[in-house]
Amino acid sequence: MNTVNRPFLQIHPSDNVLVALTDLPSGTVVAHGGAELTLVENIPAKHKFFIHDMAASEEVLMYGSLVGKTQRAVPRGGLMTTDNTKHAAGKYAYRGLQQTWTAPDVSAFADRTFRGYRRSDGRVGTANYWLFVPMVFCENRNLDVIKEALHNELGYAVTDKYKSYTRQLLQAYKEGQDINALQLQPVAADTSARVFPNVDGIKFLKHSGGCGGTRQDANTLGALLAAYADHPNVGGVTVMSLGCQHLQVANFMDDLKKRNPSFDKPLYIFEQQLAQSEEQLIADAIRQTFQGLAEINKFQREPAPLSALTIGVKCGGSDGFSGISANPAVGYTSDLLVALGGKVLLAEFPELCGAEQDMLDRCIDEASAGKFIDLMESYNDLAEKLGSGFYMNPSPGNIKDGLITDAIKSAGAAKKGGTAPVQDVLDYTEPVTKAGLSLVCTPGNDVEATTGKAASGATLILFTTGLGTPTGNPVCPTIKVATNSALATRMADIIDIDTGGIIRGEKTIEQMGEEILEYCIRAASGEVTPKAVLLGQDDFIPWKRGVSL
């Protein structure tokens, strides 16, 4: 797919809509398929217009798939809107593996390595973090106190520029000066100030669970926290418990041993109701963690094959270009990594609504296909029972920028998973074990999805966005990929990679996909730090298995 500087694009030959790549005013004559049509209204960039006159209840096709049905007659050259088009998706069923996959040429990457942290079980991390895990929300305040102490004194603080700015405002206020004249001055991260140079950070999994909710939620949280403790990017763990909560330390340890019977990282457990005082609890936690940091600081990066990478692919703040530029480019990166023997995680099940048949046709066996169907249907059924449904997934921002139905959003979102066969289907917190592409059941919600991807073992996350989002993850470096250059320029402080060249016809999807993989190799080696990591965007929200889209 190459736009070749055209003002519009037909994504698939069978589509009956075109995508505007730039603002097209009413009256513009569009030449397509050997004929001409005149736009009958303004078509903003990223939005769609109809090639033919459409009667009510006609099927709308994009990406070669059913993505909606018209609600009334719409003239050719008319704009697709939420008023004239509603979500519709085709029925799906397992039909056996329907594809013969041709892997991309990976000769340029065949002998490449990244420099990661080898763990005793053979996995390789892209970072080396110390992790604080609270068993219950009651310990969040203690984590705040410990974080301020350790981050400030050990060189991991990322907010010094705001503290400095506040001091300047205070001084100007005291002196009666105009504070509006003071501008925030950027301060470069100084990693040389770190006491432990081989420890990439100290992370804190604050959450609102562990007690007061259902026992099911507590059990799910225990499995999630165990997954993070066992993560290959984590070198050591401090557990903070109150003592009386639903999620007991014993439950957490059972989940950890079940997940990894050979778990051997430094792990320190503190229970407040057994401590002499809060002051003693915090002092003991800081002291022992300090000793643990010195221990994991002995780890050093060493070469590892690209097959040791596990990349999660995610989209958020999506726009009408997501399925044309960033998502297909990340999909090509996914195919490259699969061909190299690595692992790719595609999640966000509400954003596979309408793309189910494509996923099923790529499942390598009936067991995986059946598990995918069961997870999709049970998830959507629960949503509909509570008055929602996958069809309600697009946000106001998505719709404003051209994603009119959930099936349109899903067809574009699925492109992140490339074209490789689906090797496995994982429920929430299940670890990835098979090389290749796996589907992971998570919400589409940005933070809940990235939280789930890391739990399944992603060591890097490629996060595409058309509108911009500050989402990151505590233990998994998150790389932001912009769908358009305007966003990449406007929000340069959070965007790592710009795929806008695809829209302009300056780069192919394949070229961009290779560039993204090159960036992943550098990020995995610690040679470049993604913006989300620099900004301390350590977002962590457990999924309570209720309705979250």
Side-chain angles (χ1 to χ4, degrees), residues 292-466:
L293 288 166
E295 188 64 27
I296 72 167
N297 189 55
K298 296 175 183 177
F299 284 99
Q300 295 192 25
R301 292 184 181 270
E302 53 185 291
L306 299 188
S307 59
L309 284 175
T310 302
I311 294 181
V313 293
K314 171 76 179 83
C315 55
S318 300
D319 69 350
F321 286 163
S322 292
I324 299 173
S325 58
N327 288 353
V330 165
Y332 190 73
T333 304
S334 300
D335 284 346
L336 289 171
L337 187 61
V338 169
L340 290 162
K343 301 180 181 72
V344 174
L345 305 179
L346 174 65
E348 303 176 274
F349 273 27
E351 296 183 15
L352 294 179
C353 175
E356 295 98 338
Q357 192 62 61
D358 176 57
M359 295 295 111
L360 290 169
D361 288 346
R362 292 159 59 184
C363 286
I364 63 167
D365 55 44
E366 188 172 2
S368 294
K371 187 174 182 180
F372 175 63
I373 292 172
D374 289 344
L375 288 169
M376 284 290 288
E377 291 184 348
S378 61
Y379 189 171
N380 188 50
D381 287 347
L382 177 60
E384 291 190 347
K385 286 177 182 176
L386 296 176
S388 189
F390 286 173
Y391 66 93
M392 298 180 70
N393 181 255
S395 70
N398 295 152
I399 294 169
K400 181 181 177 182
D401 266 47
L403 299 178
I404 302 302
T405 73
D406 187 58
I408 292 176
K409 185 178 180 181
S410 295
K415 297 295 182 183
K416 303 189 302 295
T419 59
V422 175
Q423 299 292 332
D424 206 356
V425 177
L426 309 174
D427 200 354
Y428 185 67
T429 75
E430 277 192 277
V432 60
T433 58
K434 297 180 181 179
L437 175 65
S438 293
L439 306 181
V440 184
C441 185
T442 74
N445 174 291
D446 291 351
V447 180
E448 289 175 331
T450 51
T451 297
K453 286 178 193 293
S456 286
T459 52
L460 290 175
I461 291 174
L462 286 171
F463 193 120
T464 68
T465 182

Side-chain angles (χ1 to χ4, degrees), residues 54 63 127 173 195 274 322 398 426 445 448 469 472 489 521 526 540:
M54 303 286 287
Y63 300 95
Y173 174 76
V195 177
L274 297 179
S322 292
N398 295 152
L426 309 174
N445 174 291
E448 289 175 331
T469 172
T489 300
I521 294 170
F540 178 79

Side-chain angles (χ1 to χ4, degrees), residues 2 45 330 516:
N2 192 338
V330 165
I516 293 171

Side-chain angles (χ1 to χ4, degrees), residues 11 107 212 220 392 404 546:
I11 298 174
S107 56
T220 301
M392 298 180 70
I404 302 302

